[in-house]
Amino acid sequence: MDKQAYLEHIQAVIAQGPYEDNWESLRHFEVPAWYKEAKFGIFIHWGLYSVPAFSSEWYSRNMYIKDSKEYAHHIATYGKHTEFGYKDFIPMFTADRFDADEWAELFRRSGARYVMPVAEHHDGFQMYKSDVSVYNAAGMGPKRDLLGEMKAAYEKQGLVLCASTHRAEHWFFMSHGKAFPSDIQEPMQCGDFYWPAMPEPDHQDLYASPPHQEFLEDWLIRCCELVDKYMPRVLYFDWWIHHTAFKPYLQQLAAYYYNKTASQGFQGIINYKHDAFAFGSAVPDVERGQFAEMKPYYWQTDTAVARNSWCHTINNDYKSPLELIQGLVDIVSKNGNLLLNIGPRADGSIPEEDRDILLAIGEWLSVNGEAIYGTSYWRTSGEGPTAVEEGQFTDGKAKLFTSEDIRFTSKGHVLYATVLVYPDNGEVRIRTLKEKGHHFHGVIEEIEILGFDEKPVWTRTDEALVLTTKEVQSALPVVFKITTM
């Protein structure tokens, strides 16, 4: 690739508008309706790190850190780092059981509406055909354009292709291999797999170890190439792009992406963490956590079916379908989307545990989806005694919801009240809908229970809307459909 010519192309697209590469212009971004209606997407961490399938997707970094469990595992399993480095996993990443159509069918059955494969992780291996680097899946390993195959398969199933890039962290990700004899001692230049392997900064210091111009331009080119080749409807960025050095390049990328998608007749979406992008110019994302209260702006949670890792490992600690469905309901009630990650094996097969979780969510959504898809937040997100901890990395343990924990969504003149844990005695008390309450003064015309033939007996008192059932039993959340006049 002629990088200088591509950089000039990027500037030409920005100059065409309608977006300029500054925050004032980018604040005119508006979240498209399809995304607000979709509510549920699939994240996919699959790459070279899926070959060792040990500890987590940070294996490429940690295997070069002495005294780490990954270092010890690597020595014991593969030998010295001078003889077998991370690059030597490339031929082992065969994807010989990968079937994009099979994946697409599973994701459709899960009830997801969009799919977000990791196009490039911190390790620097691209999962698509690239003209920027030879270290990509189309030229090495499986020798297939994996992202291209996914795009074709997902679109056949009516799913929206999105893509994430975690390239920014590659600035330092492979640097620890320089501390002792390893294959990262080789001379490096732009385009090499391990390049640049610079000293790792304190991740909270947004001024330390600033990437140089060559790396930043390479980052920008890789992102724009991803847009040009695959036109993802959502472009997701992991952390560290909020480093000060990235700021002008983020504005260029956003203007380029938004202008390119506008020329194709749709509005692209950027997901970001922390304060990488100016508020209002993209959709904020909370990693492995959420908000305690409803927000007036649209947002997203990204989390995984496993607590310990984003990628497949042999010891994944899986969440239950109940926990994930409760999380989906809670997030949607607060004006957000859930992006749920799975981790396929290196050969491209999806572990049974991941598959079973997705199918369980899909089965629940097939009955209760009208309380999720296309809904909006209501006057309050819910009620109940269980406090939801706010912020990232708060999903380390399951939230112990009770039968008093209820979440609300709405659509037209219908209010959906989802009981996160259905009581054994069949009596539900919704205090928010009490007679003469300050949240609801309307007239209830009818109350149904999604997925059940039984109609609840109900009455409104000064304390609550009291609903009583005799036959309804469920280990998963139950939705009351409340039609108002």
Side-chain angles (χ1 to χ4, degrees), residues 132-184:
V132 179
S133 169
V134 298
Y135 293 96
N136 66 75
M140 295 183 175
K143 297 185 178 179
R144 296 165 62 179
D145 181 359
L146 301 176
L147 188 61
E149 292 182 32
M150 291 185 212
K151 178 181 175 68
Y154 298 161
E155 290 178 351
K156 283 192 293 184
Q157 292 285 356
L159 300 167
V160 176
L161 176 81
C162 310
S164 79
T165 171
H166 307 214
R167 173 71 185 181
E169 296 88 333
H170 194 69
W171 168 255
F172 59 80
F173 213 64
M174 312 302 294
S175 62
H176 297 280
K178 292 182 176 180
F180 62 95
S182 77
D183 60 331
I184 299 183

Side-chain angles (χ1 to χ4, degrees), residues 303-314:
T303 191
V305 296
R307 299 185 198 283
N308 58 302
S309 174
W310 292 91
C311 77
H312 168 66
T313 77
I314 57 174

Side-chain angles (χ1 to χ4, degrees), residues 76-364:
T77 309
Y78 304 103
K80 296 181 179 179
H81 296 67
T82 52
E83 300 169 1
F84 193 106
Y86 187 70
K87 68 179 184 304
D88 296 299
F89 285 118
I90 295 176
M92 301 173 67
F93 183 59
T94 61
D96 53 292
R97 294 181 61 190
F98 170 60
D99 185 331
D101 289 317
E102 182 180 300
W103 282 23
E105 181 182 359
L106 173 63
F107 299 153
R108 178 188 58 76
R109 292 175 63 191
S110 78
R113 297 293 173 85
Y114 59 104
V115 187
M116 182 90 68
V118 174
E120 180 178 353
H121 201 253
H122 311 326
D123 61 1
F125 188 76
Q126 297 165 295
M127 298 288 285
Y128 57 95
K129 186 177 182 180
S130 173
D131 298 322
V132 179
S133 169
V134 298
Y135 293 96
N136 66 75
M140 295 183 175
K143 297 185 178 179
R144 296 165 62 179
D145 181 359
L146 301 176
L147 188 61
E149 292 182 32
M150 291 185 212
K151 178 181 175 68
Y154 298 161
E155 290 178 351
K156 283 192 293 184
Q157 292 285 356
L159 300 167
V160 176
L161 176 81
C162 310
S164 79
T165 171
H166 307 214
R167 173 71 185 181
E169 296 88 333
H170 194 69
W171 168 255
F172 59 80
F173 213 64
M174 312 302 294
S175 62
H176 297 280
K178 292 182 176 180
F180 62 95
S182 77
D183 60 331
I184 299 183
Q185 299 295 330
E186 304 165 355
M188 288 180 282
Q189 59 182 358
C190 183
D192 289 346
F193 187 38
Y194 296 140
W195 175 86
M198 301 301 286
E200 182 170 337
D202 179 343
H203 296 167
Q204 303 304 315
D205 190 337
L206 303 183
Y207 296 90
S209 187
H212 50 54
Q213 181 178 348
E214 187 177 25
F215 179 82
L216 291 166
E217 289 181 347
D218 179 76
W219 174 87
L220 178 63
I221 288 170
R222 286 172 184 249
C223 294
C224 292
E225 182 193 43
L226 191 58
V227 170
D228 288 339
K229 285 181 176 287
Y230 303 95
M231 203 57 66
R233 293 296 180 107
V234 183
L235 196 56
Y236 170 106
F237 291 100
D238 202 12
W239 60 287
W240 214 64
I241 59 166
H242 61 304
H243 191 288
T244 53
F246 278 94
K247 293 298 183 177
Y249 293 89
L250 296 180
Q251 294 171 72
Q252 292 178 55
L253 180 278
Y256 182 86
Y257 176 49
Y258 289 166
N259 288 346
K260 289 288 286 191
T261 56
S263 71
Q264 298 296 312
F266 68 93
Q267 171 67 65
I269 304 169
I270 291 174
N271 293 152
Y272 71 96
K273 298 175 183 177
H274 310 297
D275 287 299
F277 286 78
F279 186 78
S281 65
V283 175
D285 178 275
V286 182
E287 180 178 357
R288 285 193 179 276
Q290 59 202 82
F291 291 121
E293 303 294 339
M294 180 172 63
K295 297 301 178 184
Y297 52 87
Y298 215 75
W299 59 283
Q300 178 180 266
T301 284
D302 69 299
T303 191
V305 296
R307 299 185 198 283
N308 58 302
S309 174
W310 292 91
C311 77
H312 168 66
T313 77
I314 57 174
N315 296 309
N316 267 357
D317 177 15
Y318 285 96
K319 300 173 184 176
S320 70
L322 170 62
E323 177 183 353
L324 292 167
I325 292 169
Q326 289 173 331
L328 171 63
V329 172
D330 183 67
I331 290 161
V332 170
S333 75
K334 295 171 181 173
N335 203 27
N337 277 13
L338 171 63
L339 181 63
L340 179 63
N341 180 79
I342 64 162
R345 299 186 184 93
D347 63 9
S349 60
I350 294 177
E352 291 70 22
E353 296 90 343
D354 299 58
R355 181 183 299 275
D356 290 346
I357 288 171
L358 293 186
L359 291 176
I361 295 172
E363 184 176 352
W364 186 85

Side-chain angles (χ1 to χ4, degrees), residues 395-421:
D395 69 346
K397 57 182 180 180
K399 300 172 181 65
L400 300 179
F401 289 111
T402 72
S403 59
E404 296 180 47
D405 289 302
I406 299 166
R407 296 295 180 265
F408 302 112
T409 54
S410 65
K411 187 186 300 178
H413 66 133
V414 174
L415 173 65
Y416 299 97
T418 303
V419 184
L420 298 184
V421 177

